[in-house]
């Protein structure tokens, strides 16, 4: 029994031929389904743009548009799945839209939704597909009754145009987009991981060293939770009998000792052990926190040596 060739690894379909094999029938079914999909997408796009633009002067217009762009992402996901299953197009899913944290507020979420390039490309795809869906449906339907001897070649030509549109408008824009999304999601993870590692080390160290590490750990947690920073650095050095710790970040700034971020508690605890706490955080950033602690050698404190057994 002769079996129909399957799509090779480079996602190119097998050569078209006069025989109507399963691959050809998939392409024909895809072209016939273009019309209802195009009509649904076009109606969604026109309604969303019309209502969103019309109500943009009210408090619900822009949020409605942002939600509609998330819905457009769903249309793009459906079309990518259809192209993968019926046309053998190997196409990755774009990176998910970054979810803003609760402390970033409503307007941060709104701005992220309105500038979402994946949603806008999906809307553009849905808008331009209506005439193409009508044309491909009509040509394919007529070809089934009149041009059936050459319909496999016609279907291949039409679906190649579909493949190009899907790749051009519904695929991830480029590696940069994916990298930005990864960095956005990993930023907080890296800082939280560093703080977690410091807390783990604290359990194995002497109380004096532990106090110093606690200071650094809590400062890093503040960076992670409140600063919206993309990068942070920690410097530690000794000046005479004083240990200096300095944490910098490139976040939004505006931190205050009375701002509810735990800074006041850190300052009080450092003061209780003859330490100093200096905060420099102008609006817009960067933020620099300097902590100064008394330095005591092990010989002075009479503690036992901490090290590997």
């Amino acid at each position: 029994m002769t079996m129909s060739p399957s799509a090779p690894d480079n996602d190119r379909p097998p050569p078209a031929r006069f025989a109507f094999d399963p691959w050809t029938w998939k392409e024909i079914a895809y072209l016939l389904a273009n019309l209802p999909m195009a009509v649904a997408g076009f109606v969604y796009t026109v309604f969303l743009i019309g209502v969103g633009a019309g109500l943009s002067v009210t408090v619900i217009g822009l949020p409605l548009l942002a939600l509609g762009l998330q819905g457009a992402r769903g249309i793009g996901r459906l079309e990518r799945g259809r192209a993968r299953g019926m046309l053998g197009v190997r196409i990755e899913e774009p990176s998910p839209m970054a979810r803003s944290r609760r402390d970033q507020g409503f307007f941060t979420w709104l701005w992220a939704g309105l500038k979402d390039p994946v949603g806008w490309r999906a809307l553009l795809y849905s808008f331009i597909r209506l005439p193409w869906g009508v044309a491909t449906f009509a040509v394919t339907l007529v070809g089934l009754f009149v041009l059936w001897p050459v319909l496999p070649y016609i279907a291949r030509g039409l679906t190649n145009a579909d493949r190009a549109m899907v790749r051009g408008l519904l695929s991830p824009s480029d590696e940069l987009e994916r990298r930005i999304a990864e960095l956005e999601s990993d930023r907080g993870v890296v800082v939280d991981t560093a703080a977690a590692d410091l807390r783990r080390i604290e359990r194995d160290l002497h109380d004096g060293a532990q106090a110093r590490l606690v200071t650094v750990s809590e400062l890093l947690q503040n960076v992670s939770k409140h600063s919206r920073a993309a990068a942070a650095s920690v410097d530690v050095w000794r000046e005479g009998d004083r240990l200096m710790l300095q944490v910098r970040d490139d976040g939004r700034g505006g931190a205050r000792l009375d701002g509810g971020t735990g800074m006041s508690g850190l300052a009080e605890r450092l003061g209780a052990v003859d330490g100093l706490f200096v905060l420099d955080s102008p609006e817009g950033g960067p933020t620099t926190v300097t902590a100064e602690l008394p330095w005591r050698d092990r010989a002075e404190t009479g503690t036992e040596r901490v090290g590997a057994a």
Side-chain angles (χ1 to χ4, degrees):
M1 179 178 65
T2 302
M3 297 183 65
S4 171
S6 59
D9 289 340
N10 61 4
D11 87 358
R12 293 182 180 178
R17 54 183 184 173
F18 287 106
F20 279 54
D21 58 10
W23 193 265
T24 300
W25 284 115
K26 281 186 177 182
E27 292 180 329
I28 292 172
Y30 184 93
L31 294 170
L32 292 175
N34 271 351
L35 180 58
M37 293 297 297
V39 170
F42 183 83
V43 170
Y44 181 88
T45 301
V46 171
F47 175 81
L48 175 63
I49 297 298
V51 174
L55 296 178
S56 60
V57 295
T58 70
V59 296
I60 65 171
L62 293 180
L64 179 63
L65 183 58
L67 289 172
L69 285 169
Q70 294 185 28
R73 274 179 166 260
I75 294 177
R77 189 179 305 112
L78 178 62
E79 287 287 7
R80 284 188 295 272
R82 194 165 70 99
R84 277 192 293 263
M86 303 183 76
L87 299 183
V89 176
R90 293 194 177 187
I91 181 172
E92 297 181 10
E93 290 292 324
S95 55
M97 191 173 71
R99 297 182 179 274
S100 61
R101 300 195 308 251
R102 292 181 180 178
D103 62 341
Q104 292 180 330
F106 169 77
F107 290 102
T108 301
W109 167 84
L110 179 62
W111 176 242
L114 291 177
K115 68 177 184 178
D116 178 27
V118 176
W120 283 111
R121 290 202 308 271
L123 278 186
L124 176 61
Y125 178 88
S126 299
F127 184 77
I128 67 174
R129 289 284 291 180
L130 182 59
W132 178 252
V134 173
T136 55
F137 178 85
V139 170
T140 305
L141 189 62
V142 171
L144 282 172
F145 297 98
V146 179
L147 303 174
W148 60 266
V150 294
L151 183 57
Y153 298 94
I154 295 175
R156 176 57 49 81
L158 295 175
T159 53
N160 280 343
D162 275 298
R163 291 180 177 95
M165 279 188 272
V166 171
R167 290 192 182 99
L169 289 175
L170 298 183
S171 62
S173 56
D174 50 31
E175 186 62 28
L176 178 60
E177 176 198 320
R178 290 193 294 272
R179 184 58 179 157
I180 290 174
E182 291 171 1
L183 290 175
E184 179 70 21
S185 62
D186 291 346
R187 182 182 62 192
V189 174
V190 171
V191 176
D192 290 341
T193 300
D197 288 342
L198 285 172
R199 289 195 298 271
R200 176 178 54 80
I201 295 171
E202 290 166 13
R203 295 192 295 267
D204 303 324
L205 295 178
H206 177 258
D207 290 344
Q210 183 182 39
R212 299 161 194 156
L213 287 173
V214 168
T215 299
V216 177
S217 175
E218 294 194 17
L219 288 173
L220 287 174
Q221 288 185 60
N222 273 297
V223 171
S224 173
K225 294 178 180 178
H226 304 292
S227 72
R228 302 185 194 173
S233 64
V234 178
D235 294 312
V236 182
W237 70 97
R238 178 183 175 185
E239 290 187 0
D241 61 349
R242 308 293 285 181
L243 177 68
M244 311 294 291
L245 304 170
Q246 195 168 74
V247 177
R248 298 186 184 92
D249 69 70
D250 60 356
R252 60 181 177 176
R256 303 188 310 274
L257 291 178
D258 59 350
T261 58
M263 293 291 188
S264 59
L266 281 171
E268 291 173 0
R269 294 208 298 274
L270 284 175
V273 295
D274 193 24
L276 294 176
F277 186 89
V278 179
L279 172 65
D280 180 19
S281 182
E283 291 293 339
T287 294
T288 302
V289 178
T290 304
E292 181 180 333
L293 292 163
W295 175 273
R296 296 184 180 87
D297 292 327
R298 289 193 183 96
E300 298 174 1
T301 59
T303 57
E304 64 180 12
R305 183 173 180 271
V306 178

